[in-house]
Amino acid sequence: MQRENEHGRTDTGGSGGAGLRERLVDAGVALVAEDGAAALSLREIARRAGVSHGAPRRWFPTHLELLSAIARRGFADLGARAAAAVDGTDPDPRARIAVLARVYLDFAAEQRGMYELMFRHDLLESDRFGLRETSLPLFGTLVELVAEARPGAEPAVVAGALWANLHGVAQLWGWGSLQLATGSADPGPLLAAVLTAHLGPAAR
């Protein structure tokens, strides 16, 4: 089957197709980092990838599929950061949860556009391009750590509530609302309060 390559001409598939798919995703990742999720139109991604505006649909039949492939990169990045941060740290589960939570907040602050895209499930197709397989393991790790930190609790429920609280901190901090309300330039005390609310006070 003939397909449009990165130069707007046609080819017969092979390695060039995979290369163009990655090129389109690369362009989307760069675009969301610069201009946010709202800028991710098919036309602009195609322009940045150097192909005609119709080319992305040969590899991503819907806009949602391309956005999902871009978001998958974000989840992979966040997962890698979390794994690197937790590796070799304090074996105490509460301490490890604190490390994960700080990585989450830092990612949200540093990768604002990608972060917003990653959790827009109204824009994504979680069963495509390995998105679900890339996004769920980190939550699974949080559930396991909560089970260790709070024996007897329902770990998935507590982990979900903790995540929701943490997500709220990340969003409100990104909008500048919490800085204005608390007069603080450091989200650290808020993170400590979130952990205490869901896991109890830290051991002394």
Side-chain angles (χ1 to χ4, degrees):
M1 180 176 69
Q2 289 189 330
R3 294 165 176 161
E4 187 171 7
N5 65 21
E6 60 266 33
H7 303 296
R9 295 188 291 270
T10 56
D11 59 37
T12 56
S15 60
L20 179 53
R21 282 193 293 271
E22 289 303 301
R23 186 170 177 174
L24 289 165
V25 176
D26 289 343
V29 170
L31 181 59
V32 77
E34 294 173 18
D35 299 324
L40 290 172
S41 69
L42 283 174
R43 184 176 293 274
E44 180 59 18
I45 292 171
R47 188 189 71 79
R48 290 202 172 207
V51 298
S52 68
H53 68 270
R57 294 199 182 277
R58 295 180 180 272
W59 308 107
F60 301 98
T62 69
H63 192 194
L64 270 64
E65 289 180 330
L66 178 51
L67 294 182
S68 298
I70 294 167
R72 184 180 187 278
R73 290 275 191 90
F75 280 112
D77 183 13
L78 176 58
R81 293 184 188 207
V86 170
D87 186 36
T89 61
D90 191 324
D92 174 66
R94 194 184 192 283
R96 294 166 80 86
I97 291 171
V99 170
L100 286 178
R102 189 70 208 207
V103 168
Y104 189 88
L105 291 181
D106 288 345
F107 182 89
E110 296 167 11
Q111 303 291 330
R112 190 69 194 163
M114 178 63 82
Y115 174 78
E116 291 180 354
L117 174 66
M118 287 161 57
F119 299 102
R120 287 290 305 275
H121 289 293
D122 57 322
L123 297 180
L124 306 176
E125 293 190 8
S126 62
D127 60 341
R128 300 298 302 273
F129 301 103
L131 181 58
R132 184 175 296 165
E133 292 77 7
T134 310
S135 61
L136 291 181
L138 187 57
F139 181 70
T141 298
L142 180 60
V143 171
E144 292 172 2
L145 290 173
V146 167
E148 294 180 47
R150 280 195 56 185
E154 293 186 45
V157 173
V158 173
L162 194 160
W163 175 31
N165 201 167
L166 192 63
H167 190 81
V169 170
Q171 285 284 44
L172 291 173
W173 194 266
W175 292 331
S177 302
L178 282 174
Q179 296 93 315
L180 180 63
T182 64
S184 175
D186 177 15
L190 290 167
L191 173 56
V194 169
L195 296 177
T196 298
H198 296 286
L199 303 176
R204 295 185 179 274

